[in-house]
Amino acid sequence: MINLSRLSLDRTPPLWVPLQFMAVAPLFGVLFAGVMILLGPQVLVSRWMPGMIGAAHLLVLGYVAIVMFGAMQQMLPVVAGSPVPRGAITSRLSFMLLTLGTPLLGIGLVLHRPFWIAVGGVLVLGSLGLFTLTALIALARSQARGPTTQAMTLAVIALLVTAALGGWLAGGHLGLGWPLPRHMTDLHLAWGLLGWVALLVAGAAYQVVPMFQMTPEYPALPARLHAPLVFAILAVLTLTVLLPVPAAAAKVINMTGSGMLAALMAGFAGITLWLQSRRRRRNADVTVRFWHIGMVSLLAAVLVWVVIQLLPGRGLWGIWALVLAWLFVAGFAVSVINGMLYKIVPFLVWLHLNQTRMRSSNFAMRVPNMHEVIPLGLTRLQLRLHLAALVAGLTALAWPGLLIPAMLLFAASNGLLSWNLFTGIRCYRASLNASRTTTG
Amino acid sequence: MNTSRPVRVLDVRDLPPPEPMEQVLERLPGLAPGEILCMRHRREPFPLYPILRDMGFQWRVRTPAHVPFEILIWHADEPAPEDPA
Amino acid sequence: MDTIQDFFTADHRECDYRLADLESAIADGDWEAADTGFREFHHDMERHLQREETLLFPAIETVSGSAMGPTEVMRREHDQMRALMDEIRIAKDQRDENTTLGVIETLMTMIQLHNVKEEQILYPMADRFLQTQRGGLMARVKALEP
């Protein structure tokens, strides 16, 4: 006799928990744009400007992390058959801590308010700690052992390392007594962007790209090896910093390691684009286009990285570091997330309305299809705004005077995204109310 | 002893953060070729250094007897100043 | 020999492709192709669902001793898919392009998420627990026609 009681295939978390936060998250993109406009073009002089560091945290924690938390809570029961333990409470708590902590930390960094940085930082660390712990429990309980759960597990651990390094850096920033070596910041960035963001996107891609776009499957061996290799290289680079490695050897390890990371990122983007070119669904909906933009941006980011290596002085400095960051975060991460939101939110609205209809046996209740949840015209307009903002952002890095129009476009794009997602929520409420009047 | 390069002194010892950083970033674009900015600080401004590098400046830190930290900043394409005693 | 995983996964893909082709026909405004496409899709889909409901699921339920576990959830989702297929047929017969595409998108998403659960969890499990009887079971599965 086999025990199936722990295997849950229909534990969808309550609709409200992820949806509200996902709809609010793009507003952090608007906040980021607003802060950048207030800081003015001179902030573009260096990635080390305190204003830039603060603004970047608003975007990466407020937007990227919040949506990824929500998306993972939806995905874990499906791809791993294992929901986040105590999902309703832990997710609400981790979302709330993050939505409160992020603006405090981000604005605190911009304005140099040690108290805000400390309080915001503690809230953010609490949220990340709670999320990573519960996600890891869910993943450990899972019986699925595919490349997706593997990449997700490593991504979550990478997030934990990122948070620990971030906490250490914030402590140094606040003058708690330890120094602030620059390479710690580089490690914090590498674990956060290449470990957490890129591995989670890859893990999700193995599922959603073949699934929604009907492409061939990702080739098995690269999909199996990608995440462990990225993770192992990050670990080696970190150990090189922590252990007394001779400078000459450290240099060789660094060059080889970062070169391999760049190749792995380019490989993932290249394979994804190649699969998409062979998709069976010929209609390119907005999600496919957002994925396209994301993968092309990732390839462009790798190209910029190679150019930087060929420049005299070698190192991530000046405007080039910001070009790389913009391509990776706004071009790659934000595009992919934006595209996924247009699948996740309409489907969840449909799913929950449909479940309501089934449970209440109210078959007269009309459930809108996915295209009716968010009007397609507005999602297409938002796609164009996002693309325009992306290009304008790159242009502004060459001509800083264009920062304001670029950030206005970025704010408009994210404002409209949030509006579109709230339209989905309104559609849900309206359908529920209509169903109550038909039954009542 | 070559002391011909003009030195501008910026004393931020009594300013609360983030004003020291703001003040130095405000002055740097106006630093003429050959000039040296001498920043006096009560602690070492670690976050400033990578920004200086990105803006195309070089720096040296001294700890003279009368100031906790003194940071000399000059354009990166110029030779390092000799100690302006 | 065919595993349960391999056979049913391939069956999923064939249904997926039928649905994708139906979607393309409607997006192109080719309603005749859409009528044929829907018939083929509906046939393959119904055959797949019945292969699971009448053969695979009962086998799993016999070894697990319960009809209440994951197979019950899968059956419920099958019913939701059938309801969506009806909606597609009605909208297609009315030549209502927007609604047809919207419902196809919904069904496609629903099917995909359902497939993941089966392919990642249910089929591997079935292969493990039904090893001894797999030969006979698969012969009946392949012979089934609705």
Side-chain angles (χ1 to χ4, degrees):
Chain A
M1 204 69 35
I2 50 178
N3 181 10
L4 297 179
S5 61
R6 270 182 65 192
L7 183 59
S8 149
L9 294 186
D10 71 337
R11 264 190 242 160
T12 324
L15 177 72
W16 292 110
V17 181
L19 218 57
Q20 291 174 94
F21 288 94
M22 283 178 174
V24 167
L27 295 179
F28 278 98
V30 179
L31 185 62
F32 161 81
V35 167
M36 290 295 284
I37 288 173
L38 291 178
L39 288 166
Q42 59 270 25
V43 77
L44 298 181
V45 88
S46 165
R47 71 170 167 127
W48 301 101
M49 293 290 273
M52 183 61 87
I53 296 173
H57 280 84
L58 289 176
L59 188 60
V60 174
L61 287 172
Y63 183 169
V64 176
I66 285 183
V67 178
M68 281 187 167
F69 277 22
M72 258 193 98
Q73 290 195 321
Q74 290 300 325
M75 275 187 89
L76 280 174
V78 178
V79 300
S82 170
V84 173
R86 309 205 179 280
I89 302 164
T90 54
S91 65
R92 218 168 254 139
L93 199 59
S94 55
F95 276 127
M96 259 158 46
L97 290 173
L98 198 55
T99 354
L100 283 175
T102 301
L104 279 175
L105 175 67
I107 308 281
L109 283 166
V110 171
L111 300 177
H112 202 286
R113 295 280 190 280
F115 181 70
W116 296 11
I117 298 177
V119 175
V122 167
L123 294 177
V124 168
L125 283 178
S127 167
L128 298 184
L130 184 64
F131 171 78
T132 48
L133 180 74
T134 48
L136 284 175
I137 293 175
L139 284 160
R141 283 181 185 164
S142 166
Q143 305 187 11
R145 287 286 172 266
T148 292
T149 42
Q150 182 195 45
M152 280 186 168
T153 309
L154 295 175
V156 173
I157 299 173
L159 177 62
L160 204 57
V161 178
T162 312
L165 288 167
W168 172 274
L169 286 167
H173 212 83
L174 295 174
L176 293 189
W178 53 81
L180 259 181
R182 292 296 112 195
H183 44 247
M184 290 289 274
T185 312
D186 286 339
L187 287 177
H188 173 65
L189 275 168
W191 280 102
L193 298 180
L194 305 178
W196 154 245
V197 174
L199 291 191
L200 195 59
V201 169
Y206 302 148
Q207 288 295 333
V208 301
V209 169
M211 194 159 115
F212 290 131
Q213 306 174 17
M214 289 197 189
T215 72
E217 293 291 326
Y218 277 80
L221 199 61
R224 249 298 153 208
L225 292 180
H226 178 83
L229 276 175
V230 170
F231 193 91
I233 295 167
L234 287 174
V236 168
L237 292 180
T238 309
L239 289 177
T240 316
V241 169
L242 298 180
L243 301 177
V245 178
K251 208 173 164 187
V252 174
I253 295 173
N254 259 320
M255 280 310 296
T256 323
S258 34
M260 285 169 75
L261 284 174
L264 285 162
M265 294 297 135
F268 167 71
I271 290 179
T272 305
L273 285 173
W274 176 71
L275 290 175
Q276 284 180 329
S277 74
R278 300 184 53 204
R279 68 175 193 277
R280 182 82 172 212
R281 278 184 93 174
R282 282 187 281 127
N283 299 6
D285 60 12
V286 286
T287 303
V288 176
R289 291 189 201 279
F290 272 115
W291 271 88
H292 261 132
I293 297 171
M295 293 306 126
V296 171
S297 299
L298 183 55
L299 277 181
V302 173
L303 196 68
V304 168
W305 182 85
V306 172
V307 169
I308 293 172
Q309 301 310 305
L310 301 175
L311 287 175
R314 282 184 192 213
L316 281 180
W317 56 280
I319 215 77
W320 287 102
L322 293 176
V323 172
L324 190 57
W326 181 251
L327 282 171
F328 192 95
V329 176
F332 165 59
V334 168
S335 301
V336 168
I337 289 172
N338 196 328
M340 290 308 297
L341 281 171
Y342 283 140
K343 283 275 183 228
I344 297 172
V345 172
F347 182 71
L348 286 182
V349 167
W350 176 84
L351 182 72
H352 284 265
L353 285 173
N354 200 48
Q355 281 177 354
T356 309
R357 173 167 67 177
M358 307 277 273
R359 252 184 241 121
S360 62
S361 303
N362 174 11
F363 294 105
M365 173 181 170
R366 204 188 111 61
V367 175
N369 68 54
M370 280 172 71
H371 286 179
E372 292 168 326
V373 173
I374 303 176
L376 290 184
L378 287 178
T379 64
R380 292 195 189 112
L381 174 65
Q382 197 257 318
L383 168 74
R384 280 189 216 111
L385 279 173
H386 173 70
L387 193 58
L390 211 54
V391 176
L394 285 176
T395 325
L397 288 170
W399 292 283
L402 294 175
L403 176 73
I404 292 178
M407 286 300 112
L408 285 177
L409 275 171
F410 193 70
S413 163
N414 284 295
L416 182 56
L417 172 60
S418 182
W419 171 264
N420 284 345
L421 300 177
F422 274 113
T423 303
I425 294 179
R426 279 194 297 275
C427 170
Y428 174 78
R429 288 211 190 108
S431 303
L432 269 193
N433 288 339
S435 82
R436 288 204 189 99
T437 42
T438 52
T439 43
Chain B
M1 183 75 32
N2 174 12
T3 49
S4 62
R5 290 171 77 173
V7 176
R8 287 212 227 165
V9 176
L10 173 66
D11 193 333
V12 297
R13 274 177 289 180
D14 297 329
L15 298 178
E19 280 183 53
M21 170 88 93
E22 285 171 3
Q23 295 238 344
V24 69
L25 292 179
E26 225 163 82
R27 304 281 170 102
L28 283 172
L31 196 70
E35 270 188 327
I36 296 163
L37 185 69
C38 171
M39 188 187 186
R40 294 191 176 138
H41 210 312
R42 64 179 178 281
R43 61 182 184 89
E44 223 192 321
F46 288 109
L48 177 65
Y49 300 152
I51 299 179
L52 290 178
R53 185 185 141 130
D54 278 354
M55 292 177 79
F57 291 97
Q58 280 189 43
W59 68 95
R60 191 165 83 221
V61 187
R62 306 192 306 177
T63 48
H66 59 291
V67 187
F69 293 98
E70 203 169 71
I71 301 100
L72 300 179
I73 304 168
W74 65 95
H75 286 280
D77 50 359
E78 294 167 5
E82 295 167 37
D83 268 350
Chain C
M1 194 193 80
D2 270 341
T3 59
I4 293 168
Q5 168 100 56
D6 289 343
F7 179 83
F8 278 94
T9 302
D11 211 26
H12 278 164
R13 289 300 87 76
E14 276 173 41
C15 295
D16 289 348
Y17 290 162
R18 294 257 191 236
L19 185 54
D21 294 345
L22 170 64
E23 184 187 41
S24 302
I26 289 166
D28 294 344
D30 186 347
W31 291 103
E32 265 174 53
D35 288 333
T36 325
F38 180 80
R39 245 191 329 275
E40 289 170 352
F41 164 67
H42 188 272
H43 170 269
D44 285 10
M45 190 69 188
E46 190 55 44
R47 182 177 60 190
H48 175 79
L49 299 182
Q50 290 188 20
R51 278 170 168 164
E52 293 186 339
E53 289 168 359
T54 60
L55 297 166
L56 179 65
F57 292 173
I60 294 174
E61 285 153 7
T62 312
V63 285
S64 70
S66 159
M68 291 314 289
T71 49
E72 167 61 18
V73 179
M74 295 297 105
R75 285 177 200 275
R76 234 179 12 236
E77 293 186 354
H78 286 181
D79 289 340
Q80 295 178 17
M81 291 176 201
R82 288 191 173 101
L84 284 170
M85 284 199 282
D86 274 344
E87 278 187 52
I88 292 175
R89 186 177 42 72
I90 293 165
K92 168 192 71 78
D93 288 347
Q94 293 170 347
R95 304 300 192 231
D96 177 349
E97 182 180 326
N98 286 340
T99 308
T100 319
L101 288 178
V103 184
I104 286 179
E105 168 80 6
T106 313
L107 175 61
M108 189 122 33
T109 311
M110 158 108 231
I111 289 178
Q112 294 309 322
L113 293 175
H114 172 83
N115 287 356
V116 177
K117 298 177 199 171
E118 292 187 338
E119 291 169 22
Q120 297 270 339
I121 297 154
L122 200 68
Y123 298 157
M125 196 182 75
D127 269 318
R128 245 177 304 144
F129 294 118
L130 300 174
Q131 220 163 18
T132 49
Q133 37 181 305
R134 197 163 63 191
L137 176 69
M138 291 312 287
R140 276 178 289 142
V141 162
K142 283 176 199 168
L144 185 136
E145 271 299 327

